[in-house]
Amino acid sequence: MARDSAAPSLARFAQTRVFGSLDGLRCLSILAVVWHHSATHPRALALARNGFLGVDLFFAISGFLITTLLLRERHATGGISLRRFFMRRTLRIFPPYFALLAATAFALWLVFPGASMRAPFFAELPYLATYTSNWVEISTLFAITWSLATEEQFYLVWPSIERFASRFAIPLLCAALVLNQAVNFGLLDAPLEGLLGAPRREFAVLQTTFTPILLGAALAHTLARPAGFAALARVLGRRIAAPLALAGIGLLASIPGPLTGAPRLGLHVAMGALVGACAIREDNGLRALLTLRPLTHIGAISYGIYLYHLIALHFVLALGGAFLMRSNVVRFLTCALLAVAIAEVSYRVLEVRFLRLKTRFEAMASR
């Protein structure tokens, strides 16, 4: 009886407003990224070197959640309000990001005018301020913004497709995935190098990072349809599905050598499966771990942690001495704790004020 009541259903999925395990997945993602940037591991196992894959998991979650919200809005109201969507995104994403850019510009212009970072920061600022940093090589502590630019470009294009060309959404998803995988498998290296005058690896926008976002969007479309939900629920609706997907990610991330071609595609599919398993079934096999309060809180402020963790690492390395230089674990923990502390202050002092405006705006727009 309990087993039947816990069985996945489209009705239960459609009524779920907050997917309880996804903040836990965000926590695992951001900790992997912090580890990747704070640890030095030239001789470590491949899994320990591939923490950058946390960004890919972030993208899969984002593509799924954004598309699910858009599809549910269209189902409930008969349309999609781009004004409401962009206002929500602006109030959530812009305040801490542009506050950080402004604070850095102020510090480098007036407080530390002799800093080595000053000239490259101001040269790169136009790209940082316009979310186009994935088209150039960023040499400062803002190098991580390529992923934020990638997401913003997705937010700019995809909701408009869902709003004005919904009948073409699936074909466009498929075409974009095929194109992205042609890049992933190196099939377009020669023409791209001829067109751009440089190898594609120098352009973050031409890496495979759009694939997990696209797979997340495809997952949302599939789960929104009765037949699609039923098909995926048969595979991902079992409690063991989430642990198996996470294990698959771990195994594929342990492959030695560069993660391109089939291993990278397999990783992205496994990430999509992990997000799907956690969304289809709230009592998935990882729920006990992913809903632990420390993990969900870190996941909830993970955007801030991502923004600030390289700055935190800079201070840790500057002030930590030789001991931190010798210990990967201590350096990671120190950097992570400082980044969490900065993100917590940012959330409570700055971000929450704009989130209240977001709530008020949504209430006014729904009247």
Side-chain angles (χ1 to χ4, degrees):
M1 196 68 180
R3 184 177 180 182
D4 291 338
S5 65
S9 73
L10 180 56
R12 186 180 294 112
F13 170 78
Q15 292 168 3
T16 303
R17 312 310 301 172
V18 177
F19 298 100
S21 296
L22 294 192
D23 272 338
L25 287 185
R26 287 192 182 101
C27 174
L28 299 183
S29 299
I30 192 59
L31 292 181
V33 171
V34 174
W35 167 266
H36 178 71
H37 287 138
S38 61
T40 56
H41 30 62
R43 294 182 298 275
L45 296 175
L47 180 62
R49 297 196 305 269
N50 291 332
F52 66 89
L53 292 169
V55 173
D56 291 18
L57 183 53
F58 267 122
F59 284 173
I61 296 169
S62 182
F64 166 71
L65 287 177
I66 291 299
T67 306
T68 295
L69 288 173
L70 294 171
L71 295 178
R72 288 182 176 182
E73 181 182 355
R74 185 166 63 210
H75 177 76
T77 67
I80 293 172
S81 171
L82 294 181
R83 176 173 170 266
R84 291 176 63 182
F85 174 83
F86 289 125
M87 183 60 72
R88 289 194 302 266
R89 291 293 88 199
T90 296
L91 292 173
R92 176 66 188 96
I93 292 173
F94 284 10
Y97 181 72
F98 285 105
L100 180 59
L101 289 184
T104 304
F106 174 82
L108 292 176
W109 187 263
L110 295 176
V111 183
F112 306 108
S116 60
M117 179 179 159
R118 184 178 190 269
F121 171 78
F122 284 107
E124 295 161 3
L125 185 57
Y127 300 101
L128 299 174
T130 56
Y131 284 98
T132 53
S133 57
N134 56 342
W135 287 93
V136 295
E137 184 177 355
I138 302 296
S139 60
T140 63
L141 295 177
F142 290 87
I144 59 168
T145 60
W146 69 266
S147 61
L148 304 179
T150 300
E151 276 204 287
E152 283 304 303
Q153 290 157 23
F154 171 73
Y155 293 153
L156 185 63
V157 173
W158 187 245
S160 298
I161 291 175
E162 293 285 6
R163 169 68 176 83
F164 297 111
S166 59
R167 69 175 64 184
F168 301 111
I170 298 300
L172 287 171
L173 270 177
C174 294
L177 281 167
V178 169
L179 179 61
N180 208 230
Q181 289 310 306
V183 174
N184 175 35
F185 281 88
L187 303 179
L188 300 179
D189 281 2
L192 285 173
E193 185 167 353
L195 179 66
L196 300 171
R200 71 169 174 91
R201 63 179 174 273
E202 296 186 12
F203 299 87
V205 73
L206 294 177
Q207 304 306 312
T208 62
T209 48
F210 278 106
T211 291
I213 298 181
L214 296 169
L215 288 176
L219 173 67
H221 269 277
T222 304
L223 293 180
R225 292 169 167 80
F229 184 91
L232 284 185
R234 284 195 289 270
V235 179
L236 302 179
R238 302 174 183 274
R239 296 192 74 248
I240 193 62
L244 286 178
L246 184 61
I249 293 170
L251 288 173
L252 289 168
S254 301
I255 295 175
L259 285 175
T260 58
R264 192 66 175 271
L265 176 58
L267 274 162
H268 291 161
V269 171
M271 289 175 182
L274 177 59
V275 174
C278 290
I280 289 173
R281 185 167 191 147
E282 281 291 296
D283 66 332
N284 61 81
L286 293 175
R287 179 178 173 81
L289 168 67
L290 296 178
T291 57
L292 290 172
R293 189 156 187 176
L295 270 67
T296 59
H297 185 70
I298 289 173
I301 62 171
S302 57
Y303 173 55
I305 298 172
Y306 188 77
L307 274 182
Y308 305 124
H309 79 276
L310 285 187
I311 295 173
L313 178 62
H314 175 77
F315 284 105
V316 165
L317 295 180
L319 303 174
F323 176 66
L324 289 181
M325 295 300 294
R326 289 196 302 267
S327 174
N328 278 335
V329 173
V330 174
R331 190 164 59 252
F332 159 70
L333 290 175
T334 308
C335 177
L337 288 172
L338 181 56
V340 168
I342 298 172
E344 185 72 23
V345 172
S346 172
Y347 181 81
R348 293 180 180 274
V349 173
L350 174 67
E351 295 170 56
V352 73
R353 300 174 186 270
F354 290 92
L355 292 177
R356 290 192 191 115
L357 290 177
K358 174 184 166 185
T359 303
R360 291 177 190 172
F361 172 80
E362 291 178 341
M364 291 172 60
S366 63
R367 289 175 185 171

